[in-house]
Amino acid sequence: DSGVTQTPKHLITATGQRVTLRCSPRSGDLSVYWYQQSLDQGLQFLIQYYNGEERAKGNILERFSAQQFPDLHSELNLSSLELGDSALYFCASSVGSLKDTQYFGPGTRLTVL
Amino acid sequence: ELKVEQNPLFLSMQEGKNYTIYCNYSTTSDRLYWYRQDPGKSLESLFVLLSNGAVKQEGRLMASLDTKARLSTLHITAAVHDLSATYFCAVDRPMEYGNKLVFGAGTILRVKS
């Protein structure tokens, strides 16, 4: 158990819908990262927040957005869902904003029907 | 753009045998990570290699880093069934105010008894 928690574990929804994935980092960690894992794209970095501020952005679609709240938990919002958005979404956390070991949560499996 | 390549992508081996997984990356980096993932589960941090020549061992797994060759290896000694999993290497990709991990495609390891 890494200490990073994610909810929900599974999410099944329909195309065109909007969902919110939630992540709580390990105690003491200020950075939160979101990654998407799919069979065709592998593990892809989406976005990083540090202490409430966006710090790095990857290949995140415009339909996706994220934020980190004052209590350091983070939410990833996915809207206008498409079949291709079906994937495992991981949250990771680390102490700092730069080169620190990232600890991964259990993931949220999103299925878009 | 930083690219991380692992080989082999699939490895089927007998219990008791030795084998090595290779991880090449395309641009300079002084930190490399190895993660393990069981099917449908999270990524578990195995090793963090911080400098050229770094070698770390945990049980039957040993990881090394050659930053000049941009190569890391994960050596498996006397494999046992419990080592069956997918192994990922990942490299830090610092960005202006943050950081991301760039992952290899993963090596699926199956240890047969």
Side-chain angles (χ1 to χ4, degrees):
Chain A
D1 185 354
S2 67
V4 179
T5 61
Q6 288 187 248
T7 57
K9 285 188 178 179
H10 302 279
L11 205 45
I12 302 174
T13 188
T15 54
Q17 295 298 304
R18 173 190 169 94
V19 297
T20 298
L21 282 51
R22 183 187 168 106
C23 167
S24 291
R26 295 186 320 157
S27 177
D29 285 358
L30 298 178
S31 267
V32 169
Y33 309 79
W34 288 97
Y35 291 85
Q36 179 192 59
Q37 184 178 33
S38 61
L39 283 175
D40 54 343
Q41 297 285 333
L43 271 158
Q44 297 284 325
F45 168 74
L46 296 178
I47 198 163
Q48 176 200 9
Y49 279 83
Y50 175 78
N51 205 20
E53 294 184 354
E54 182 184 308
R55 286 298 184 99
K57 211 166 185 175
N59 297 325
I60 186 167
L61 299 172
E62 285 192 10
R63 301 183 285 109
F64 296 2
S65 65
Q67 55 184 327
Q68 186 180 29
F69 294 87
D71 67 352
L72 302 177
H73 90 273
S74 178
E75 292 180 357
L76 179 67
N77 300 296
L78 315 176
S79 62
S80 302
L81 286 167
E82 302 175 359
L83 296 177
D85 298 327
S86 295
L88 199 49
Y89 290 84
F90 286 110
C91 166
S93 74
S94 69
V95 173
S97 63
L98 298 175
K99 296 180 181 181
D100 278 322
T101 299
Q102 296 180 26
Y103 295 91
F104 283 75
T108 294
R109 181 168 294 282
L110 173 66
T111 303
V112 182
L113 300 176
Chain B
E1 183 182 338
L2 172 60
K3 292 189 187 306
V4 180
E5 293 185 351
Q6 285 182 240
N7 70 83
L9 297 183
F10 182 77
L11 178 54
S12 179
M13 54 192 299
Q14 294 287 336
E15 275 192 331
K17 298 293 187 184
N18 304 332
Y19 209 83
T20 300
I21 299 171
Y22 297 88
C23 174
N24 289 90
Y25 52 98
S26 60
T27 62
T28 301
S29 178
D30 57 1
R31 289 171 73 105
L32 188 135
Y33 306 83
W34 285 95
Y35 286 90
R36 168 184 169 140
Q37 184 180 36
D38 292 301
K41 304 292 186 184
S42 184
L43 284 88
E44 174 192 355
S45 177
L46 293 175
F47 301 108
V48 182
L49 302 169
L50 299 177
S51 61
N52 187 42
V55 177
K56 289 197 173 179
Q57 182 159 7
E58 181 73 35
R60 300 173 188 274
L61 301 177
M62 183 175 71
S64 66
L65 178 62
D66 180 343
T67 57
K68 292 180 182 176
R70 298 176 189 166
L71 171 68
S72 179
T73 60
L74 180 66
H75 187 72
I76 303 151
T77 302
V80 293
H81 182 71
D82 285 352
L83 289 179
S84 297
T86 301
Y87 293 85
F88 291 93
C89 63
V91 176
D92 277 317
R93 169 68 167 89
M95 303 173 82
E96 188 172 9
Y97 299 108
N99 189 54
K100 70 176 183 180
L101 289 178
V102 178
F103 284 86
T107 296
I108 300 172
L109 173 64
R110 292 289 174 262
V111 181
K112 299 183 290 187
S113 51

